[in-house]
Amino acid sequence: MGRNRHPLFMPLIFVGGLLFGFGLGFSHMARPEVVLNFLQFEDFGLLFVMGGAAVVTGIAFALVPRLFDRAPLTGDTYGRRLKSFDRNVLIGGAIFGVGWGLSGICPGAAYASLGVGNVTIVWALAGMFVGAYLQGYWRSQRAASETTPAGAD
Amino acid sequence: MGTELFVPALYESLFPAGISRYAVGGLLVGLGAVVIYLGTGITAGASTFLESTLSYVSDQSRFQRYRASRDWRIVFTVGIVAGAAVYALTFQSGLVSSGLYESGATGQLHDVGGVTVWLTDVQPWRLFLGGILVGIGTRIGKGCTSGHGVCGVGSASKTSIVGVMTFLIVAIGTAQVAMALGVSP
């Protein structure tokens, strides 16, 4: 990737996002109320959204690497999404869970919510950027203090 | 003798809006991720957009790591907004209908120049505070409902499965507490 991106790279990413966002709208996941209804055990439909999506990606992630060598638009090999496990997955997951349970909103659904006309969602989007900034600022400071010897000034 | 009465009643109470709208929407969300994967090998998530976009306005080292991917992440996000807008123009506005789609009774619908827009009733303070925690949590926890929940679970990643279980259980607990405290909507 990088310099010589295939001319269809961006259009394809856009089409992928288009399907993704249409699906979030169609399934009503762009409505915080519907997510809250699930978390309050009033409508279990959300299980079919996450489950249906994971079944489709699961089939593709299992088959595509066996059928093809490299992705046509990047030349990259097909891998799976495997992140290392550590305490942060639990801590971050719990913090995310409190936020999701309080607001009924997660990142992808929040972007889609804007598309269905829900301008009130800018409150959630602003909150997400503030949260991501706080976290990134803290991590950057910590990384800097680990590489420079203590008491340098 | 009770099963004929019990089964539909149970289904009604578990899925008052049916399941087709959810299942079809979920399949399309998965298809969107697969289209990107097939063409590029990328397993996309929606939350890294927050950090990668912050690299435009902040020099913090944490955000600069995402410089290489920040442009396509914006295109992906604009695509998500546009895709939801296509839904709003078609099904939400009643221009297109299908037996697989069931409209809901939440929030408020407004007619703006022939297009039906939908607005949430959830209070701004909940959205803002929840958003801050979502922003912090997804970044510490290495993913969100799409990265972990769709691509990670689809990859049979143990980390993602544990991540999803964690946020699902905590979110259910939080929503139950909020409901018990009378926070509504």
Side-chain angles (χ1 to χ4, degrees), chain A residues 5 28 33 41 43-44 57 73-74 78-81 83-84 86 93 97 102 106 111-112 115-116 118 127 139-140, chain B residues 14 22 37-40 46 60 62 71 84-85 92 101 118 120-121 126 132 142 145 150 155 159 167 171 176:
Chain A
R5 260 182 191 153
H28 283 205
E33 281 93 332
F41 303 144
D43 180 353
F44 287 85
T57 56
L73 304 187
T74 56
Y78 290 110
R80 292 192 293 152
R81 187 185 187 279
K83 300 242 167 165
S84 60
D86 54 44
L102 185 66
C106 59
Y111 315 149
V116 301
N118 184 18
R139 278 251 179 119
S140 302
Chain B
L14 295 180
Y22 296 113
Y37 180 71
L38 254 177
T40 67
Q60 297 291 328
R62 185 75 197 166
D71 54 353
Q92 187 166 279
Y101 178 72
W118 181 89
T120 186
D121 283 329
R126 287 181 83 171
I132 292 175
K142 309 179 186 185
T145 31
V150 175
S155 300
T159 299
F167 64 62
Q176 297 285 342

